[in-house]
Amino acid sequence: MIRLGSFLFFIWVGIALQAQSLYPDFSKMNFGCDGNSITAGEQWSRTVVDRLGFATHHNVAVGSATWACYADTQDYGSPGFSGISDGWQPTDDKQEMQKRHNNVSKVHIQKFISQVESGAYPVPDVFVFSMGTNDRNLGSAEEALRGKTLDEVDVTTMAGGARWAIQTIIERYPHCRVFVCTPIQTGSPEHNALNLQKIAILRELCQALSVQLIDCYSNSGITEKLEVPSGRGRYLRDGLHPDKEGQVLMGRYIAKEIRNNFF
């Protein structure tokens, strides 16, 4: 006869194996992301990559970035391309302003694709966008979603820039799973009210483009009630940017959403 302990052990092993089969092996996958200063460098995306065990980490986020382009935004790699700057302090330097106007998701994605095509990075299996905090010219999802081709999209609005970037990744990498993070709550009620308008637009775009929305505003664990408009709160070091603990918290939540919604 099989002893009860052995029987329970086999049951436990079976349950563990079944649970493992529910999730893919991310160690064989490549991760890409784009965003602004909350995403740039080794912040929440590092936690996602480490927690899920992705094989590679390709991050093209730049501080101060927006979804929306400017009237004079250049294409990445075009003749006379000035580069990309994360500057935000007042300046009269025309070259610097051009670089700032190139700091938009469209240019980031053009750079991402160029780096993949050059062989510097592999084709992504998962791509996460986390932008919107710095956008002011919102536009509307209805307007941005008109037509099938991106040639018809006004990328000078947040809605149009977001559609262009998201759809470009979908079209370029058809086997890549795309996720879009909402902005987090800040320490400013006024800023959060504007963020809610942006989230409504992003939600509509994600539904239309059939990509997963990750609601960092409501579910990341960062709340305006425990933060201050400017200065250190519970997770934000200045009312806007997560400190190390806040970055890890965001990363753990985003990793869970990727794992639970990957198919």
Side-chain angles (χ1 to χ4, degrees), residues 8-188:
L8 292 176
F9 173 77
F10 285 125
I11 291 178
W12 178 84
V13 169
I15 292 172
L17 290 173
Q18 184 179 28
Q20 288 179 2
S21 69
L22 293 175
Y23 306 115
D25 183 358
F26 289 103
S27 70
K28 295 180 173 63
M29 298 186 191
N30 303 301
F31 180 84
C33 64
D34 184 26
N36 48 39
S37 58
I38 294 174
T39 301
E42 300 283 322
Q43 298 191 75
W44 63 259
S45 64
R46 170 48 60 189
T47 297
V48 169
V49 169
D50 290 347
R51 201 166 182 85
L52 296 180
F54 280 101
T56 63
H57 182 193
H58 186 183
N59 185 345
V60 290
V62 180
S64 304
T66 61
W67 286 108
C69 292
Y70 297 83
D72 62 344
T73 294
Q74 299 172 312
D75 287 325
Y76 181 80
S78 61
F81 181 72
S82 297
I84 303 170
S85 171
D86 63 356
W88 56 275
Q89 296 281 14
T91 181
D92 293 325
D93 187 318
K94 292 183 179 180
Q95 182 79 352
E96 171 63 17
M97 287 305 300
Q98 181 63 68
K99 291 180 180 180
R100 294 183 188 185
H101 287 184
N102 292 340
N103 188 17
V104 299
S105 191
K106 179 180 180 181
V107 177
H108 294 186
I109 296 308
Q110 290 173 334
K111 178 181 179 180
F112 183 94
I113 292 170
S114 176
Q115 291 175 333
V116 171
E117 289 184 343
S118 73
Y121 290 93
V123 171
D125 298 288
V126 171
F127 194 98
V128 180
F129 289 98
S130 181
M131 301 185 73
T133 296
N134 302 314
D135 278 274
R136 292 294 179 268
N137 181 21
L138 306 190
S140 71
E142 180 183 8
E143 188 176 306
L145 289 168
R146 288 176 185 156
K148 287 186 177 292
T149 70
L150 295 178
D151 294 337
E152 305 169 67
V153 178
D154 177 9
V155 294
T156 64
T157 68
M158 187 201 86
R163 180 193 166 181
W164 190 97
I166 296 166
Q167 187 170 331
T168 296
I169 290 292
I170 293 171
E171 291 178 350
R172 197 77 176 198
Y173 308 116
H175 300 296
C176 178
R177 288 281 287 124
V178 176
F179 296 82
V180 177
C181 295
T182 69
I184 59 173
Q185 294 185 42
T186 73
S188 166

